[in-house]
Amino acid sequence: MAYRGSRRFLKPLLYTSAAAGLGGSLLYISYRPRNIPGSDPAVVQPPGYGKGGTFIPPRFPKVITRAEQIQDLKKSAPQENKDGIKDKIFRRGQEESKEEEPYDLLIIGGGATGSGIALDAATRGLKVAVVERDDFSSGTSSKSTKLVHGGVRYLEKAVWELDYNQYALVKEALRERKYFLDTAPHLSSWLPIMIPIQKWWQAPYFWAGTKFYDFLAGSEGIESSYFLTKSRALDAFPMLKRENLVGALVYYDGAHNDSRMNVSIAMTAAIYGATVVNHLEIVGLDKDASGKLIGARARDLVDEKNGGSAKEFSIRAKGIINATGPFTDSIRKMDSQEASEIVAPSSGVHIILPGYYSPSNMGLIDPSTSDGRVIFFLPWQGNTIAGTTDAPTKITPNPIAGEQEINWILSEIRGYLAPDINVRRGDVLAAWSGIRPLVRDPKAKNTESLVRNHLITVSDSGLLTCAGGKWTTYRQMAEDTIDEAINLFSLNPTPVSHAPDISGLGMYHDASILDGSCQTHQVKLIGAHGFSKTLFINLIQHFGIETDVAKHLTESYGDRAWTVAALAAPTEKRFPVRGTRISTLYPFIDGEVRYAVRHEYAQTAVDVIARRTRLAFLNAQAALEALPTVIDLMSEELGWDKKRRELEWRESVKFLASMGLPKSKLAVTRKDVETGKAKMFDEHERRLYSRHDGPADILESDSKFPPGHNLVMGEDSGANK
């Protein structure tokens, strides 16, 4: 009897203990302390002061010049001389009888995928070259939503459609998100994103979805999602519409500066020995007698811009990789005219609004737009980015965002912002269209179905193509591509024993992890070693630059901000001591232009205003007004003549049309900008603000109502008589 009584007592106790243990475990998993990416101290300490208070600056390794990179390309193959006879080009110090060996890999395309592949190959000890027809990140890679994310919408589809491929894509992206934030903490950060709840039943639905998202991230997670009541949601995001708002769920993803990330990947590859060249066009592919690819023919487009002729030259490589994004099929058809088209281009339009449209530290996702698509509304670089659309499109170098797409985004924004916020077309500071290269598997039975993840395919001649995927998974795409290339082309990865001192302070041995296998999940990009959240204070104290400029430099260049600030000219003012802004509205300074030319291969004004700085993406009109300054600074660095400066003006204004510059501004000349004529307002701009009224309790332009109808004034006021 005593035994039975003890069982009646112990059984509920065990059940209660088990439930409490399970609940406690779930709570711990959800709310355990986590190491937030970017919050770690710098890997190396900031530069210090020696004896006598002398400052000891970091000594960062430099990449070789673009001209030297092109010479290295030419050394890989015999070149034709002026008589049409092929000469051999030799490295300095080698005997003339020894022919230069070809590259292990030649990568066509300098976007996120191509640059990532080059970095992976270089850090495995392979001899690699990457060439880009335009500029690094000139296409899709600079026109993203600026998120580093697993994709909550993909997870929702995976659950409802029982789609394992979607699930695997989310799982992979969440893992890569963590690597992204670890290897480039200066260019990426975590961002809380709010999901407004407008019906009670949505609360448990979205809560379950965001918690599943947290669970999938596991140890790679950022912070746990949480619920906000209506009042707290409005406190966190005051612009939200109160009507029908029940509360909100907040989950965490990453955000980044996409084109600066791309440029940093390419420059890190160059530091590790890769040959990296932009504005170099591949005009043909070379094959041997058996029909296998052995190289390519290229021409330097910068020569044409300088008024010369772009002569073709040969590049030899054991393997060629096609990583050209939306232009994938053009390279495939260069290889074989019979190649099927695998890219299904989709246009994604984004717009930029002033920063007051969103909080500086909270994004928003609308999971149920009028046509079922998802729209993001995020703080970015001091402004607000909204998008994206998703529609089939034609492939063009610089597509223009259509008015229909822009107005659709504005209409959706009006739907979830407070009615007293007037969402105006005139508030759109920039707008662009990016082409997402969705792909079909040419070997699949159903060639119309799109591949959810990236695709790696090989042609009969040996052209290895990597296409599709997303920004967040660029590193995994590169790893898979190099793994395939090693097997396909019988390459021999080797440990990298003599890595350069990327930190510039001799305190971090980057080569210690480079054993010949893929280690890009640990390879820190240029700028990451000495970055910390307080680095901007060191810059202010040493260079006397403005606080917002210092923060911008550290968050765009990491520890290379030391060099950028040093390249800024003195102002001859009490403060700021150094750094002249190229636009009064944004923290971009002259030192960035010089740094872009000397250390990041910037060759055109568009390279600077769009991809080294983000001015064109933030404000097309401000970019136009900054052009004379940018062109003059680049002219000093590169020795441009008058014709080249005029060409830069024309091509830059043409590019700004794809950034949303109004048609009324496309005929503006440099003289118009310098004399202030470009700042003249058309009728639409004039009506946006009360520009010319003198100081008054009520502005004159606000008082022009029919007699007796100005309701903000008393009936006895003279304005109503």
Side-chain angles (χ1 to χ4, degrees):
M1 293 293 292
Y3 173 69
R4 289 180 180 177
S6 62
R7 283 184 62 189
R8 284 196 300 269
F9 175 74
L10 288 174
K11 205 170 181 180
L13 181 62
L14 289 173
Y15 286 151
T16 303
S17 300
L22 179 61
S25 299
L26 290 173
L27 284 172
Y28 176 77
I29 292 172
S30 297
Y31 299 104
R32 68 189 184 279
R34 304 192 191 193
N35 188 20
I36 303 301
S39 62
D40 293 332
V43 175
V44 298
Q45 294 300 310
Y49 293 83
K51 293 181 179 179
T54 303
F55 179 71
I56 305 174
R59 304 291 181 182
F60 298 121
K62 295 182 179 180
V63 294
I64 63 174
T65 67
R66 182 176 179 276
E68 290 172 321
Q69 297 275 31
I70 292 175
Q71 279 301 111
D72 282 348
L73 288 175
K74 292 179 177 179
K75 291 173 185 175
S76 69
Q79 307 294 330
E80 288 187 357
N81 62 23
K82 62 181 180 179
D83 299 317
I85 301 172
K86 288 191 174 181
D87 289 334
K88 294 177 180 178
I89 296 179
F90 306 97
R91 286 189 186 276
R92 292 184 293 272
Q94 286 186 332
E95 296 180 4
E96 292 190 1
S97 60
K98 187 175 181 180
E99 186 176 344
E100 181 66 26
E101 292 185 1
Y103 285 96
D104 289 322
L105 293 170
L106 170 63
I107 302 160
I108 306 173
T113 304
S115 298
I117 293 171
L119 178 59
D120 192 307
T123 52
R124 296 202 210 188
L126 298 175
K127 183 182 178 184
V128 59
V130 57
V131 298
E132 164 59 45
R133 179 177 61 182
D134 196 333
D135 184 30
F136 313 116
S137 194
S138 59
T140 307
S141 298
S142 63
K143 298 175 179 178
S144 71
T145 310
K146 322 304 178 191
L147 284 177
V148 185
H149 63 139
V152 289
R153 56 176 175 168
Y154 297 129
L155 180 60
E156 184 180 33
K157 288 182 179 179
V159 172
W160 286 109
E161 298 173 11
L162 299 178
D163 188 337
Y164 178 77
N165 290 329
Q166 292 269 20
Y167 168 83
L169 176 62
V170 175
K171 184 71 175 172
E172 175 185 87
L174 287 172
R175 182 188 69 244
E176 292 300 315
R177 181 184 68 176
K178 179 64 161 54
Y179 297 153
F180 214 111
L181 297 169
D182 284 342
T183 57
H186 56 303
L187 292 170
S188 52
S189 60
W190 55 271
L191 176 69
I193 300 177
M194 180 182 291
I195 308 174
I197 297 173
Q198 296 178 325
K199 294 181 175 62
W200 279 109
W201 64 264
Q202 291 178 330
Y205 179 78
F206 289 139
W207 183 88
T210 55
K211 287 303 176 185
F212 189 27
Y213 196 63
D214 294 343
F215 175 75
L216 284 184
S219 60
E220 282 87 26
I222 301 175
E223 278 277 20
S224 296
S225 56
Y226 57 89
F227 175 79
L228 289 177
T229 61
K230 178 178 179 178
S231 60
R232 292 190 63 192
L234 290 170
D235 183 59
F237 208 115
M239 305 81 178
L240 273 180
K241 181 166 63 177
R242 293 172 174 268
E243 184 182 355
N244 297 326
L245 184 67
V246 174
L249 258 299
V250 176
Y251 72 97
Y252 286 81
D253 253 326
H256 76 137
N257 188 336
D258 51 8
S259 72
R260 284 226 50 85
M261 182 76 178
N262 195 156
V263 170
S264 296
I265 295 168
M267 293 302 102
T268 306
I271 285 288
Y272 278 105
T275 301
V276 177
V277 185
N278 56 350
H279 298 286
L280 192 83
E281 182 180 25
I282 297 297
V283 295
L285 301 176
D286 294 331
K287 299 178 182 179
D288 61 16
S290 65
K292 295 295 184 181
L293 290 172
I294 57 171
R297 299 184 306 281
R299 63 191 185 112
D300 183 4
L301 299 181
V302 173
D303 287 342
E304 285 186 354
K305 292 179 183 294
N306 288 329
S309 60
K311 296 180 180 179
E312 289 186 17
F313 62 90
S314 297
I315 307 170
R316 288 287 177 265
K318 298 174 186 176
I320 297 180
I321 296 176
N322 175 15
T324 51
F327 302 95
T328 292
D329 287 329
S330 63
I331 300 298
R332 282 169 50 83
K333 288 187 180 294
M334 188 182 290
D335 173 44
S336 171
Q337 285 297 320
E338 286 72 40
S340 59
E341 294 188 356
I342 63 173
V343 173
S346 175
S347 169
V349 170
H350 295 83
I351 65 173
I352 289 288
L353 295 165
Y356 55 72
Y357 271 91
S358 67
S360 61
N361 59 350
M362 177 74 75
L364 185 142
I365 179 175
D366 180 2
S368 54
T369 59
S370 58
D371 61 359
R373 287 180 287 186
V374 170
I375 192 170
F376 286 96
F377 195 66
L378 312 167
W380 183 67
Q381 300 284 306
N383 284 354
T384 301
I385 182 173
T388 177
T389 61
D390 185 6
T393 188
K394 293 182 179 179
I395 298 174
T396 55
N398 290 306
I400 295 176
E403 280 299 315
Q404 183 177 353
E405 290 87 352
I406 293 172
N407 288 327
W408 178 82
I409 295 174
L410 291 174
S411 176
E412 295 301 322
I413 292 171
R414 293 186 188 103
Y416 54 76
L417 292 189
D420 59 324
I421 297 177
N422 184 15
V423 181
R424 308 180 297 181
R425 175 63 178 86
D427 285 339
V428 177
L429 303 175
W432 67 85
S433 172
I435 301 176
R436 184 184 177 195
L438 305 174
V439 291
R440 308 180 187 91
D441 187 348
K443 298 179 181 178
K445 292 182 180 179
N446 180 10
T447 57
E448 292 302 312
S449 60
L450 299 176
V451 176
R452 299 294 184 186
N453 209 326
H454 60 276
L455 172 71
I456 296 175
T457 184
V458 182
S459 72
D460 293 338
S461 66
L463 178 67
L464 196 162
T465 295
C466 178
K470 54 190 292 188
W471 231 121
T472 308
T473 60
Y474 87 91
R475 193 210 65 83
Q476 185 64 56
M477 294 167 66
E479 180 179 347
D480 293 345
T481 302
I482 293 299
D483 287 345
E484 179 70 20
I486 289 170
N487 294 327
L488 181 65
F489 305 121
S490 302
L491 305 178
N492 297 306
T494 57
V496 178
S497 56
H498 300 290
D501 177 24
I502 298 180
S503 73
L505 294 170
M507 300 180 183
Y508 191 83
H509 187 44
D510 290 278
S512 61
I513 59 172
L514 303 180
D515 58 3
S517 63
C518 178
Q519 295 295 325
T520 47
H521 61 290
Q522 301 183 74
V523 173
K524 293 188 177 298
L525 300 187
I526 280 180
H529 297 76
F531 171 76
S532 71
K533 294 289 187 181
T534 58
L535 177 61
F536 77 95
I537 299 174
N538 302 117
L539 290 182
I540 296 171
Q541 292 177 335
H542 184 69
F543 293 105
I545 57 180
E546 295 171 278
T547 300
D548 61 334
V549 171
K551 287 183 176 180
H552 154 68
L553 293 183
T554 57
E555 291 169 1
S556 297
Y557 302 90
D559 57 25
R560 264 43 178 192
W562 289 103
T563 304
V564 179
L567 286 170
T571 64
E572 307 303 336
K573 298 177 182 178
R574 183 176 180 277
F575 196 86
V577 179
R578 304 187 78 89
T580 302
R581 297 181 187 238
I582 62 175
S583 169
T584 57
L585 300 175
Y586 297 94
F588 306 118
I589 60 171
D590 57 332
E592 295 181 73
V593 182
R594 298 186 183 96
Y595 183 86
V597 173
R598 298 185 189 186
H599 300 282
E600 294 182 337
Y601 298 149
Q603 296 295 307
T604 71
V606 172
D607 292 350
V608 171
I609 63 173
R611 295 174 285 271
R612 302 311 185 281
T613 70
R614 306 314 307 275
L615 186 55
F617 281 81
L618 291 169
N619 191 320
Q621 175 74 22
L624 176 71
E625 293 168 7
L627 265 181
T629 300
V630 172
I631 291 174
D632 287 347
L633 287 169
M634 295 188 73
S635 183
E636 292 173 6
E637 294 291 320
L638 296 169
W640 289 344
D641 59 18
K642 182 179 179 181
K643 287 185 177 179
R644 177 63 194 274
R645 292 194 296 271
E646 291 173 347
L647 176 67
E648 286 301 313
W649 178 267
R650 293 193 301 271
E651 292 192 344
S652 298
V653 173
K654 182 180 178 181
F655 171 80
L656 288 175
S658 70
M659 289 288 105
L661 186 69
K663 291 181 180 179
S664 61
K665 304 292 185 182
L666 296 182
V668 168
T669 65
R670 173 171 177 153
K671 186 177 180 180
D672 291 336
V673 171
E674 292 175 332
T675 59
K677 188 177 178 181
K679 296 181 180 180
M680 298 295 288
F681 316 112
D682 57 29
E683 184 63 18
H684 177 72
E685 289 179 294
R686 188 184 65 78
R687 291 181 178 181
L688 285 177
Y689 307 99
S690 300
R691 294 184 182 273
H692 305 297
D693 296 327
D697 289 346
I698 296 178
L699 298 180
E700 181 181 355
S701 59
D702 293 335
S703 303
K704 293 178 180 178
F705 293 90
H709 287 78
N710 191 340
L711 302 181
V712 300
M713 293 184 174
E715 292 182 3
D716 296 332
S717 171
N720 278 331
K721 298 297 183 181

